[in-house]
Amino acid sequence: MQTYKAPLRDMRFVLHELHADPGSEPLPGLEEITPDVADAILEEAAKFCTERLLPLNASGDAEGCRLENGVVRTPKGFPEAYAAFRAGGWTAMGSDPAYGGQGLPETINKLVEEMICSTNLSFGLYPGLSHGAYKAIAGHASEALKAAYLPKIVDGTWSGTMCLTEAHCGTDLGLLRTRAVPQDDGSYRITGSKIFISAGDHDLTENIVHLVLARLPDAPKGVKGISLFLVPKFLPAPDGTPGARNGVTCSALEHKMGIKASATCQLSFDDAVGWLVGEPHKGMRAMFTMMNSERLSVGIQGLGAGEAAYQGAVAYARERLQGRALSGAKRPDLAADPIIVHPDVRRMLMTIRAYNEGARALGGWVARSLDVMERHPDPAERRRAEDFSALMTPVVKALFTDLGFEAASIGLQVYGGHGFIRDHGMEQYVRDARISMIYEGTNGVQALDLVGRKLPAHAGRLLRGFFHPVLAFLDAALEDDALAPLALPVSKAFGALQLATAHIAQRGLKDPDEAGAVATDYLRLFGLVALGFMWVRAAKVAQAALADGTPERDFYEAKLATARFFIERILPQVAGLLAAIKSGKGAMMALDEAMF
Amino acid sequence: MQTYKAPLRDMRFVLHELHADPGSEPLPGLEEITPDVADAILEEAAKFCTERLLPLNASGDAEGCRLENGVVRTPKGFPEAYAAFRAGGWTAMGSDPAYGGQGLPETINKLVEEMICSTNLSFGLYPGLSHGAYKAIAGHASEALKAAYLPKIVDGTWSGTMCLTEAHCGTDLGLLRTRAVPQDDGSYRITGSKIFISAGDHDLTENIVHLVLARLPDAPKGVKGISLFLVPKFLPAPDGTPGARNGVTCSALEHKMGIKASATCQLSFDDAVGWLVGEPHKGMRAMFTMMNSERLSVGIQGLGAGEAAYQGAVAYARERLQGRALSGAKRPDLAADPIIVHPDVRRMLMTIRAYNEGARALGGWVARSLDVMERHPDPAERRRAEDFSALMTPVVKALFTDLGFEAASIGLQVYGGHGFIRDHGMEQYVRDARISMIYEGTNGVQALDLVGRKLPAHAGRLLRGFFHPVLAFLDAALEDDALAPLALPVSKAFGALQLATAHIAQRGLKDPDEAGAVATDYLRLFGLVALGFMWVRAAKVAQAALADGTPERDFYEAKLATARFFIERILPQVAGLLAAIKSGKGAMMALDEAMF
């Protein structure tokens, strides 16, 4: 049995304490989102996820989706859960009130996403993809298309997809072959095959709006010849309801390692009617504008898996009796001690915990920057926030999903053999979490984005925007006697990050393979330092609360102990990463292809 | 499609070059196992595994085992493949010629096991468990039991199991409840329930011989009250053929993350007839005598998964066209370059390669020590070998399986989305490999064995037996100009291992939680140093071959490049591990149970 209780206390910590900026005005449009309102939303989301989504997680995995007579059936309970999700207004959370959305900030949306991912990642992909489609349309489509489609997507009666990948091209979209032929009425006819389309077909909504990358007849080769089209499953009738069936069909469902309740479709477009979104040949740009938020969401999937794994592991570690504490029996009244007494079990629990809380803190910071970027009245603030989110997006996506998969595997390990069998649901977390390291750009691609695009962008401006405040904070923390023991190792790790950055800037400039060869190690180093920084900041808040005589001593003491665990036991990995980075590409590129 | 070609060249390298001791006499009983004979055996094994086992790997996973009317059916093709395996004499490899065995050395057996694990881990568990039962019987049973059962197990007409785990006890066998009541005829009646019994029932052999841990009526509490019993599925008739059905039934099959073609059974023993193996209450001792070889075998499962993942990943990296090399197009004739040109893809391939070849070398060394321990005429040599294998067993089991799972996951990642779907078989390697970190003692238990038992044993004698020759080799290597650049980082890493060892010896003596808290990090540190040592030794052999003008330049150049990769890119992790170990138990034990 999978268990979950939303970590609301820690979410409030991130939202109201860690990233709070008490002196500042609320962002325009968010004046009504007071802490009380935010908490109420989170509590409602927690209730929905726990009561409606969690019970369908294991059953959805066992049953999977089926393709019947050209129609995809989601597992038992999914249509009803989706109807409730829609009725609860959850599809509208992050959307513009102009289209019926609630206009909630990303800081809240991402916490709700975390809960959804913890309780039912497969389910979460359906509204998740819709929101991606919403953004593409809202950001780039004509007013007519917006008016026709956005209210339906926002209220969840229609859903959306992103159709990028083809069998021969995933990362390298420049190779794609789907064609779009302009028609006299201003529409286009789309023909081609797409694969790996999440939520490509299903029975949750009355219509599905596909956003499809395709080439116009006169398109230049490569990624500069790709356009974006809106292709509905049913063409809207004059009254706005779904009308005639369009030429898009699900030709097959993929059989996957995990997220089995999420329909991953092969879609055939056969002279399907579509409309251009944005400018011709500028489809990739339309994709990229929504990518920061999407990639943060995928990172959050890793965190969601980690949190579910943590809670499952803790529950089992408390109840499973096996052996005695090394330091002597802790529960002599029982046949054996609960395994939570064993240091090595605690190592596993503390590792996941440190990952999760660190990631939640960092994710919250990036989510905040997305809100500032979108809403702040001061263009300089907006630009700073945009720089920061652009820099952190690949870090968060790759780091959180790597750690989330690791956390899920650790959680399984706490169960021993009972984790490998299906009954407790731990192995599902591992299988489900694995995909997030791949989609929305593999984690290797994220590392190349960080090293190849984000570091050199604007002559290092993105990086300086991160380094300077971190450095200032750590320098001040070193002067604080209580905080210095935690700040010092993070400060040293930050020094390693600076050295690694300088190394890459120097070597990578002359030889891009040098940058490529160390990109993944650099991203991990960057991520560990960012988490370390979050942990010192969290510790500072905790120390202040304890000094103020908080009644929640356990919460803040645990925060301090977890900070210490991260900094003492995980952060030291930066030394090895720096050494690996310094060694360069030599050994990696030495083998001829035939020698592998 | 899963692909595999046995890495025979590297196996020969390990067998004849790396661990060769040209001046020495062959071990007694192994005079006829010349290098040519060994190579012929490996080639035949490679042929069998590739032609018979590999084609059943994905289909066996998809089909799984079924429990039908109380009988377990293995997947399509398994009975025929097992019959061919048996007919080929593969069940008899490592067994005593006195019982029809071939008496082959562990150095060869473990390489064959690696091939079996690479091509079909689920299949391999059936004969693997039999061999465990063989050893328990051969080592501890009466002559009558040996005569009745061993020839059948050796020739593969009967198979065996190890029945240890019960629902409430896995690691802590002291809690087990299965009872054995002595009968007047010298037999026993066994009653109880066992879970997670690999090969507990199946349709591959005409009889199954269960080795069951149970308690006698007068048994002391805990692990010192456990006895070992032989309980056949069918009681042998007077003519030795399977006779009356015994009171043991498969009550359920487990549904698992992986190794789905391996029948993992819940077994009910209901007044089943059995015979004592070894002395009353000394069942755990009988278990432990076979454990070094068994745990090495489980470690080899990790290596097997890693090798399969490597080969799959290399094949895809060569054929998948995506993007252009950072340094400019390498195949301008094609629509894109094969992804093997990308440094980050090479990082993944080289990482798996460095793990695999290092593990094969280290595993070969430990296998050799098992042979020496069993066969060497000099008791001092035998004791040294026993010390070494006892020390390395937990390292090999935990390290190889951790790295094997990581390697399988990296292999999947090379495929991107195509790795997450079933079609290429990469995700199966991940699911199958996951179990080896758990069974035969979880990897956390291995770490505690290393730190709590092996380090302090005989006042550190086991450790000195490893440290001294390593130190002597590295010191000499540092004097060798060609080898020194590789030997120096390993020598430093070895220094870190010495520091960590001293730290644990000092702190752990006073407080066992201090040892427990760092055990897993210590095992990893130990393992990385042991692999680093293997890589310097391998590099030395490669340098000598190249200096001698070998015609196999590519093989030895690749060996040198991979040594360099391991030492430059992976070995630096020891710095972080040492720092983590030094930080001790503090942060780990700080939280009260309720605070998790």
Side-chain angles (χ1 to χ4, degrees), chain A residues 166-173 175 195-196 254-260 310 314 318 320-327 330 335-336 338 340-344 346-347 349-350 353 405 409-410 412-413 416-423 427 430-432 434-435 437-438 442-445 447-448 511-513 516-521 553-555 557-558 561-562 564-565 568-570 572-573 575-577 579-581 583-596, chain B residues 166-173 175 195-196 254-260 310 314 318 320-327 335-336 338 340-344 346-347 349-350 353 405 409-410 412-413 416-423 427 430-432 434-435 437-438 442-445 447-448 511-513 516-521 553-555 557-558 561-562 564-565 568-570 572-573 575-577 579-581 583-596:
Chain A
E166 300 181 7
H168 64 289
C169 70
T171 299
D172 188 357
L173 289 170
L175 300 173
I195 65 167
F196 300 166
E254 301 291 355
H255 298 283
K256 311 184 297 290
M257 181 183 191
I259 53 166
K260 294 188 180 194
Y310 176 75
V314 167
R318 281 196 179 120
R320 175 75 171 173
L321 308 177
Q322 208 79 178
R324 290 294 181 190
L326 297 169
S327 52
K330 293 282 178 291
I340 202 166
V341 304
H342 302 303
D344 194 64
R346 285 172 166 254
R347 171 190 62 79
L349 300 179
M350 290 299 289
R353 183 185 177 96
F405 178 68
S409 181
I410 294 173
L412 186 162
Q413 189 74 12
H418 294 272
F420 191 70
I421 61 172
R422 293 209 161 176
D423 310 38
E427 60 92 38
V430 180
R431 289 185 291 103
D432 284 358
R434 188 62 186 80
I435 187 59
M437 297 157 73
I438 297 170
T442 65
N443 287 359
V445 166
L448 292 176
D511 179 354
D513 276 346
V518 301
T520 289
D521 282 343
R553 288 200 70 83
D554 275 5
F555 176 80
E557 292 284 8
T562 311
R564 193 179 150 202
F565 180 87
E568 289 182 356
R569 308 278 311 201
I570 296 169
Q573 291 168 15
L577 292 165
I581 289 165
S583 76
K585 73 167 189 179
M588 202 169 293
M589 304 306 282
L591 264 62
D592 286 342
E593 189 187 315
M595 288 161 77
F596 277 93
Chain B
E166 300 181 6
H168 64 290
C169 70
T171 299
D172 188 357
L173 289 170
L175 300 174
I195 65 166
F196 299 165
E254 302 290 356
H255 298 283
K256 311 185 298 291
M257 181 184 191
I259 53 164
K260 295 189 179 191
Y310 176 75
V314 168
R318 280 196 181 119
R320 175 76 170 173
L321 307 178
Q322 208 79 176
R324 289 296 181 188
L326 297 169
S327 53
I340 201 167
V341 304
H342 302 305
D344 194 64
R346 284 173 166 253
R347 172 190 60 79
L349 300 179
M350 290 300 289
R353 182 184 178 98
F405 178 68
S409 180
I410 295 172
L412 186 161
Q413 189 73 14
H418 294 272
F420 191 69
I421 60 172
R422 294 208 160 176
D423 310 40
E427 59 91 37
V430 180
R431 289 186 289 102
D432 284 357
R434 187 62 186 81
I435 186 58
M437 297 158 72
I438 296 170
T442 65
N443 288 359
V445 166
L448 292 176
D511 180 352
D513 276 347
V518 301
T520 289
D521 282 344
R553 287 199 70 83
D554 275 6
F555 176 79
E557 292 284 8
T562 312
R564 193 180 151 201
F565 181 87
E568 289 182 357
R569 307 279 311 201
I570 297 170
Q573 292 168 14
L577 292 165
I581 289 166
S583 75
K585 75 168 188 179
M588 205 170 291
M589 304 307 282
L591 265 63
D592 286 341
E593 189 186 315
M595 289 159 76
F596 277 93

Side-chain angles (χ1 to χ4, degrees), chain B residues 269-435:
Chain B
F269 294 86
D270 186 12
D271 250 359
V273 177
W275 292 272
L276 185 68
V277 174
E279 296 173 52
H281 316 318
K282 301 279 172 69
M284 292 302 285
R285 190 191 293 175
M287 285 288 125
F288 272 107
T289 52
M290 80 185 73
M291 212 159 261
N292 286 355
S293 171
E294 291 302 299
R295 289 185 168 175
L296 175 55
S297 290
V298 176
I300 296 297
Q301 294 177 11
L303 169 56
E307 181 64 35
Y310 176 75
Q311 295 195 24
V314 168
Y316 193 72
R318 280 196 181 119
E319 107 196 1
R320 175 76 170 173
L321 307 178
Q322 208 79 176
R324 289 296 181 188
L326 297 169
S327 53
K330 291 284 179 288
R331 293 291 305 271
D333 53 316
L334 300 174
D337 286 333
I339 61 173
I340 201 167
V341 304
H342 302 305
D344 194 64
V345 171
R346 284 173 166 253
R347 172 190 60 79
M348 295 192 269
L349 300 179
M350 290 300 289
T351 299
I352 316 181
R353 182 184 178 98
Y355 288 169
N356 290 348
E357 293 183 14
R360 191 173 294 121
L362 183 57
W365 191 18
V366 178
R368 193 178 181 81
S369 79
L370 293 174
D371 290 330
V372 170
M373 175 181 144
E374 196 177 309
R375 299 172 186 267
H376 204 284
D378 179 353
E381 285 292 333
R382 289 204 301 273
R383 200 203 69 187
R384 268 196 286 277
E386 189 173 353
D387 279 2
F388 178 70
S389 63
L391 176 69
M392 297 307 286
T393 293
V395 176
V396 162
K397 195 279 179 180
L399 180 75
F400 287 17
T401 58
D402 279 353
L403 298 186
F405 178 68
E406 187 192 329
S409 180
I410 295 172
L412 186 161
Q413 189 73 14
V414 171
Y415 279 70
H418 294 272
F420 191 69
I421 60 172
R422 294 208 160 176
D423 310 40
H424 294 276
M426 298 303 286
E427 59 91 37
Q428 184 190 349
Y429 296 138
V430 180
R431 289 186 289 102
D432 284 357
R434 187 62 186 81
I435 186 58

Side-chain angles (χ1 to χ4, degrees), chain A residues 121-407:
Chain A
L121 176 56
S122 282
F123 180 93
L125 289 176
Y126 296 99
L129 268 294
S130 282
H131 196 61
Y134 162 85
K135 280 191 199 144
I137 298 169
H140 301 276
S142 66
E143 290 305 321
L145 285 176
K146 287 191 210 177
Y149 289 89
L150 291 184
K152 302 280 195 182
I153 292 178
V154 170
D155 80 7
T157 47
W158 296 5
S159 65
T161 75
M162 308 299 302
C163 302
L164 287 68
T165 303
E166 300 181 7
H168 64 289
C169 70
T171 299
D172 188 357
L173 289 170
L175 300 173
L176 73 79
R177 294 179 192 143
T178 298
R179 287 168 295 120
V181 179
Q183 307 295 306
D184 292 344
D185 65 356
S187 70
Y188 295 80
R189 291 288 185 150
I190 317 289
T191 302
S193 294
K194 296 285 180 178
I195 65 167
F196 300 166
I197 308 307
S198 297
D201 196 52
H202 56 78
D203 53 7
L204 304 183
T205 58
E206 60 184 37
N207 201 0
I208 302 174
V209 184
H210 304 288
L211 287 174
V212 186
L213 290 181
R215 289 187 182 287
L216 289 166
D218 61 342
K221 277 195 153 189
V223 290
K224 291 183 177 165
I226 297 175
S227 308
L228 183 65
F229 298 89
L230 183 158
V231 183
K233 178 177 174 182
F234 294 97
L235 296 165
D239 66 355
T241 60
R245 188 75 165 79
N246 201 0
V248 49
T249 48
C250 174
S251 47
L253 278 175
E254 301 291 355
H255 298 283
K256 311 184 297 290
M257 181 183 191
I259 53 166
K260 294 188 180 194
S262 164
T264 306
C265 300
Q266 297 179 20
L267 291 184
S268 291
F269 294 87
D270 186 13
D271 250 358
V273 176
W275 292 271
L276 186 67
V277 174
E279 294 173 53
H281 317 318
K282 300 279 171 70
M284 291 302 284
R285 188 191 293 174
M287 286 288 125
F288 273 107
T289 51
M290 78 186 73
M291 211 159 263
N292 287 353
S293 172
E294 291 302 299
R295 289 186 167 174
L296 175 55
S297 290
V298 175
I300 296 297
Q301 295 177 9
L303 169 57
E307 181 63 35
Y310 176 75
Q311 295 195 25
V314 167
Y316 192 72
R318 281 196 179 120
E319 106 197 358
R320 175 75 171 173
L321 308 177
Q322 208 79 178
R324 290 294 181 190
L326 297 169
S327 52
K330 293 282 178 291
R331 293 291 305 272
D333 53 315
L334 300 175
D337 287 334
I339 61 173
I340 202 166
V341 304
H342 302 303
D344 194 64
V345 171
R346 285 172 166 254
R347 171 190 62 79
M348 294 192 270
L349 300 179
M350 290 299 289
T351 299
I352 315 181
R353 183 185 177 96
Y355 288 169
N356 290 348
E357 292 183 15
R360 191 172 295 121
L362 183 57
W365 191 17
V366 178
R368 194 178 180 80
S369 80
L370 293 174
D371 290 330
V372 171
M373 176 180 141
E374 196 177 308
R375 298 171 186 269
H376 204 285
D378 179 353
E381 286 292 332
R382 289 203 303 273
R383 200 203 67 188
R384 267 196 287 276
E386 188 174 355
D387 279 2
F388 178 72
S389 63
L391 177 69
M392 296 307 286
T393 293
V395 177
V396 162
K397 194 278 179 182
L399 180 76
F400 288 16
T401 58
D402 279 353
L403 299 186
F405 178 68
E406 188 191 329

Side-chain angles (χ1 to χ4, degrees), chain B residues 1-2 53-64 75 78 119-120 261 422-425 428-429 431-432:
Chain B
M1 275 287 287
Q2 293 169 331
L53 299 187
L54 183 63
L56 299 178
N57 195 38
S59 62
D61 176 63
E63 186 182 337
F78 271 56
T119 49
N120 202 322
R422 294 208 160 176
D423 310 40
H424 294 276
Q428 184 190 349
Y429 296 138
R431 289 186 289 102
D432 284 357

Side-chain angles (χ1 to χ4, degrees), chain B residues 8-23:
Chain B
L8 292 173
R9 181 63 190 90
D10 199 55
M11 290 180 166
R12 291 198 304 271
F13 175 80
V14 169
L15 205 51
H16 309 316
E17 300 174 68
L18 186 64
H19 297 310
D21 190 0

Side-chain angles (χ1 to χ4, degrees), chain A residues 46-64:
Chain A
K47 195 164 174 310
F48 184 87
C49 291
T50 313
E51 293 179 3
R52 299 301 306 247
L53 300 187
L54 183 64
L56 299 178
N57 195 37
S59 61
D61 176 62
E63 184 182 338

Side-chain angles (χ1 to χ4, degrees), chain B residues 44-54 56 77-94 102 109 112-117 119-131 153-159 204-205:
Chain B
E44 277 306 303
K47 198 165 170 316
F48 184 87
C49 291
T50 314
E51 292 179 2
R52 299 301 305 250
L53 299 187
L54 183 63
L56 299 178
F78 271 56
E80 295 78 10
Y82 181 79
F85 187 82
R86 199 174 72 68
W90 299 107
T91 57
M93 282 190 73
Q102 299 182 19
N109 298 339
V112 174
E113 284 178 21
E114 184 202 314
M115 296 184 214
I116 296 171
C117 295
T119 49
N120 202 322
L121 176 56
S122 282
F123 179 93
L125 289 176
Y126 296 98
L129 268 294
S130 283
H131 196 61
I153 294 177
V154 170
D155 80 5
T157 48
W158 295 5
S159 67
L204 305 183
T205 57

